Amino acid sequence: RKEVEQDPGPFNVPEGATVAFNCTYSNSASQSFFWYRQDCRKEPKLLMSVYSSGNEDGRFTAQLNRASQYISLLIRDSKLSDSATYLCVVNNQAGTALIFGKGTTLSVSS
Amino acid sequence: EPEVTQTPSHQVTQMGQEVILRCVPISNHLYFYWYRQILGQKVEFLVSFYNNEISEKSEIFDDQFSVERPDGSNFTLKIRSTKLEDSAMYFCASNIHHSNQPQHFGDGTRLSIL
């Protein structure tokens, strides 16, 4: 089983749409969870940390289910500028490294 | 907002040559990392560094790789004898505390081995 698994997409949605991404991770000892965003040939940029209680940042909502080892990201009212690859990231057991999924590509069109 | 800076942005090197990639982490951060991303693939962990020693390294980080913090600001990755398969984007990252804090990434060095 891959350490962090994501649907690669691409997800092609119109502006204003709501889109959800899912992610599963294999290491039950992981303690920290993040969504990063990566534009083409650029560095990963932190979008948000993911907490057990779920958290929201504007149009973005992240959820974590530790029992199922499942993380989600919901984007409401998609903008053209949301077009990017969204990376699901967890830390390793020791907390000394980040483990990345391959990413889900989102394309928002007008 | 403080940021991680990396130089050079693009490095072209002949196979077998040594290359040094440089990074200046965010000034109050204590933990430093190198990752690489081969074109079209996922970001992969190479090494973490704290208190002037390696905390953890992946199986990618073999004897050809080394890291150093030569002064109070720079953090370097050296590849001793480059191979074609070392061609990738190399990202430096840092954070204040390793366990639950997100890591902040530099904009990367594109390494091309000919």
Side-chain angles (χ1 to χ4, degrees), chain A residues 43 45, chain B residues 1-5 24-29 94-96 103-107:
Chain A
E43 76 276 20
K45 288 188 177 175
Chain B
E1 185 179 322
E3 53 184 34
V4 176
T5 57
V24 178
I26 294 173
S27 62
N28 63 336
H29 285 187
S94 68
N95 62 359
I96 292 174
Q103 295 176 20
H104 299 268
F105 284 76
D107 58 5

Side-chain angles (χ1 to χ4, degrees), chain B residues 24-77:
Chain B
V24 178
I26 294 173
S27 62
N28 63 336
H29 285 187
L30 303 177
Y31 294 82
F32 315 122
Y33 311 84
W34 283 101
Y35 293 82
R36 80 170 186 194
Q37 187 175 31
I38 295 170
L39 188 64
Q41 297 188 25
K42 65 179 181 178
V43 177
E44 299 175 290
F45 168 73
L46 293 177
V47 65
S48 59
F49 191 86
Y50 169 69
N51 200 25
N52 282 319
E53 4 182 90
I54 290 174
S55 310
E56 181 144 2
K57 59 184 180 179
S58 72
E59 56 191 31
I60 301 169
F61 194 88
D62 62 21
D63 292 344
Q64 294 300 310
F65 290 86
S66 61
V67 289
E68 196 178 29
R69 189 154 162 84
D71 52 43
S73 59
N74 287 285
F75 177 52
T76 61
L77 174 70

Side-chain angles (χ1 to χ4, degrees), chain A residues 3-110:
Chain A
E3 291 183 283
V4 179
E5 202 149 0
Q6 297 182 250
D7 180 345
F11 284 59
N12 299 305
V13 303
E15 275 184 292
T18 295
V19 62
F21 303 138
N22 304 317
C23 165
T24 56
Y25 61 95
S26 61
N27 188 347
S28 60
S30 292
Q31 294 295 319
S32 299
F33 310 91
F34 309 98
W35 283 100
Y36 278 74
R37 167 197 169 125
Q38 187 174 33
D39 293 290
C40 188
R41 294 182 175 239
K42 300 285 189 180
E43 76 276 20
K45 288 188 177 175
L46 178 69
L47 182 65
M48 58 198 302
S49 300
V50 186
Y51 304 115
S52 295
S53 53
N55 48 299
E56 188 174 304
D57 183 1
R59 298 181 293 108
F60 300 86
T61 301
Q63 298 279 349
L64 169 64
N65 184 323
R66 284 183 186 267
S68 305
Q69 294 177 209
Y70 170 92
I71 307 165
S72 66
L73 176 69
L74 184 77
I75 305 176
R76 288 181 299 277
D77 189 22
S78 298
K79 312 286 184 200
L80 294 174
S81 56
D82 293 334
S83 297
T85 298
Y86 289 83
L87 307 175
C88 179
V89 185
V90 307
N91 70 347
N92 66 350
Q93 187 166 350
T96 49
L98 293 181
I99 303 165
F100 284 77
K102 204 169 175 190
T104 299
T105 300
L106 173 66
S107 178
V108 182
S109 56
S110 57

